[in-house]
Amino acid sequence: MLRRTRIALLVTSFAGFAAWSAVAYAAKPLELHPKPEVDLPFGDDLSFPEGPGSDVVAANCVTCHSVDHTLNQPALSREEWHKVVDKMITAYKAPISKDDAKTIVDYLSRVKGEP
C-alpha cells in the first residue's frame, strides 16, 4: 500500500508540475523582434569604371561576381589576369567567348594591373 501511495504522489506531483509549467510558459508575453536593417557602405549604383571593355566585363563577370568583389582584387600583371580569366572559363565553365576573354584581360590589366 505504501508503494502505491508513493507512486500516486509522484504521478500527481509530476502532473501538477507539468500543468504549472504549461501555464507559466503560456503566460510569457510574445516578443516580436523587428527585422534588422543594414546600411551598406556603398550604393546600388556601384559600377565598373568607364572605358573600353567595361560593358563586356559587366556583362560577363557580374554573372558570378559583384562589382565590388571584382574591383577589390589585387593588382595583377596581364599574364596573371589572363590565367584568372582562363581559370574562370576552364575550371568554372564561365560562358565567355575568346574575344570577350581578350577584352576582359585588356580591361582588367588597365584598371587593376600592376603599377
Side-chain angles (χ1 to χ4, degrees):
M1 184 74 172
L2 188 58
R3 181 179 164 109
R4 283 187 179 166
T5 304
R6 285 185 183 169
I7 291 174
L9 184 58
L10 183 62
V11 168
T12 304
S13 297
F14 179 73
F17 178 74
W20 176 82
S21 296
V23 169
Y25 182 75
K28 289 183 181 178
L30 179 63
E31 294 181 36
L32 299 177
H33 299 284
K35 291 182 180 178
E37 291 185 23
V38 178
D39 291 325
L40 298 175
F42 49 84
D44 293 336
D45 59 346
L46 187 65
S47 59
F48 292 103
E50 291 294 321
S54 63
D55 56 335
V56 175
V57 172
N60 286 281
C61 300
V62 297
T63 303
C64 299
H65 308 291
S66 68
V67 174
D68 185 53
H69 172 79
T70 305
L71 294 178
N72 282 313
Q73 296 305 303
L76 301 174
S77 68
R78 173 178 285 289
E79 181 181 324
E80 290 170 314
W81 277 122
H82 178 72
K83 289 178 184 177
V84 169
V85 173
D86 188 52
K87 179 176 74 173
M88 296 301 131
I89 295 168
T90 57
Y92 300 110
K93 309 301 181 207
I96 300 172
S97 70
K98 288 184 181 187
D99 289 340
D100 282 355
K102 182 186 179 316
T103 302
I104 292 168
V105 170
D106 290 344
Y107 178 84
L108 292 174
S109 297
R110 189 175 66 257
V111 173
K112 292 297 297 182
E114 288 181 331

